[in-house]
Amino acid sequence: MAQETSTDRGGQIAVTLSFLVCLAGSMIGVGVFGGTPIASAAGGALSTDATLLAPASGAFAVWTVVYLGLAGYTVLQWFPVAEDRQRRLRLPVAGTMLLNAAWILVVQAGRLWVSVLVIGVLLMLLGRIFVLLTRTRASGPLDRVLVDGVLGVYLGWVCVATVANVAAALVASGFGGAGLTPDGWAVVVLLAVAGIGVALAVRGRGRFAVGAAIAWGLAWIAVARWDGALPSAPVAWTAAAASAVVLGVTLAVRAREATRTAAA
């Protein structure tokens, strides 16, 4: 029992320190502490109009939700709420926050392909957290919002951010398309993201936070391609349709699960 308590305390401290590192990284990422804003870092490779898969600037408001949610989670995990669940989640969540800060620093250094590696690992870790969440139950509304909700939004957004990051690295490296036009590549990738969103909706039994975050990111890609300096009607329509499909399937699966629960 004493060993278990000691392990829990170590995990709580790790989460708290990781959040502080993550918060400091975010400040650097918006230009505080002498950092370069992400849109201007790495030669502007991650700016709104750098690639066809870059979302409009309004999309990044989602980070406010993520950071505030992670702050709430950091506080919540100090309390005896669903302790067995928290015990499994603490270190993976701490890892995502450290990777988040690492990604910002790597981009600041102009290392785009290293940033792809970092965000890829971040996505895999968030995927692992998603599996853990689907295998355990929230203990109440606060747990559901600050754990399932926040981490779901985090995963959904990083799904979209990963493809935008890869596209930025490819374009900055001079990738020629291998016989496929930029519009064609963007459409194929957006369809793949939509497929991932649908798969997560089914696997997660309609977890709204994940689907909503993916739909949000896709919708802002559509906005960028309609109104930005790099317009593309095919990409805009595909992104808009993909957003609607992911959100629609998520809501449909959620409604089906609610009906099953009520009938049980």
Side-chain angles (χ1 to χ4, degrees):
M1 186 69 173
Q3 182 179 0
E4 192 171 271
T5 302
S6 176
T7 301
D8 290 341
R9 186 56 50 86
Q12 291 166 332
I13 293 171
V15 168
T16 304
L17 292 177
S18 297
F19 175 70
L20 293 176
V21 172
C22 181
L23 189 61
S26 74
M27 293 298 99
I28 294 173
V30 296
V32 182
F33 304 145
T36 305
I38 293 298
S40 302
L46 293 165
S47 64
T48 297
D49 296 314
T51 75
L52 291 172
L53 292 173
S57 58
F60 301 103
V62 72
W63 279 118
T64 301
V65 175
V66 172
Y67 285 123
L68 288 175
L70 289 175
Y73 168 81
T74 299
V75 173
L76 179 70
Q77 57 96 33
W78 278 95
F79 291 88
V81 178
E83 268 304 307
D84 183 59
R85 192 183 206 219
Q86 292 300 338
R87 199 170 290 120
R88 300 182 189 183
L89 286 171
R90 283 190 182 103
L91 291 184
V93 173
T96 69
M97 292 192 280
L98 293 176
L99 286 166
N100 195 341
W103 183 87
I104 291 170
L105 295 176
V106 166
V107 170
Q108 295 280 321
R111 305 292 186 179
L112 279 176
W113 281 111
V114 179
S115 75
V116 169
L117 175 62
V118 173
I119 202 170
V121 176
L122 172 58
L123 181 60
M124 287 189 290
L125 194 51
L126 285 167
R128 173 59 181 163
I129 290 170
F130 175 78
V131 172
L132 289 173
L133 291 177
T134 60
R135 292 176 177 174
T136 57
R137 294 178 64 85
S139 62
L142 197 59
D143 191 20
R144 192 172 297 114
V145 171
L146 292 179
V147 179
D148 297 75
V150 170
L151 297 176
V153 170
Y154 199 0
L155 169 62
W157 170 250
V158 171
C159 285
V160 178
T162 299
V163 299
N165 197 166
V166 173
L170 286 170
V171 170
S173 299
F175 177 64
L180 193 61
T181 66
D183 283 23
W185 271 111
V187 167
V188 169
V189 171
L190 288 169
L191 292 176
V193 174
I196 291 169
V198 169
L200 289 172
V202 174
R203 179 68 176 82
R205 297 185 295 277
R207 287 174 178 259
F208 182 73
V210 180
I214 292 176
W216 169 271
L218 290 171
W220 282 102
I221 291 175
V223 170
R225 301 291 71 80
W226 272 318
D227 297 332
L230 190 62
S232 170
V235 175
W237 282 112
T238 302
S243 176
V245 167
V246 171
L247 190 58
V249 171
T250 299
L251 292 173
V253 173
R254 188 176 182 83
R256 184 191 66 188
E257 291 298 320
T259 301
R260 284 182 178 178
T261 301

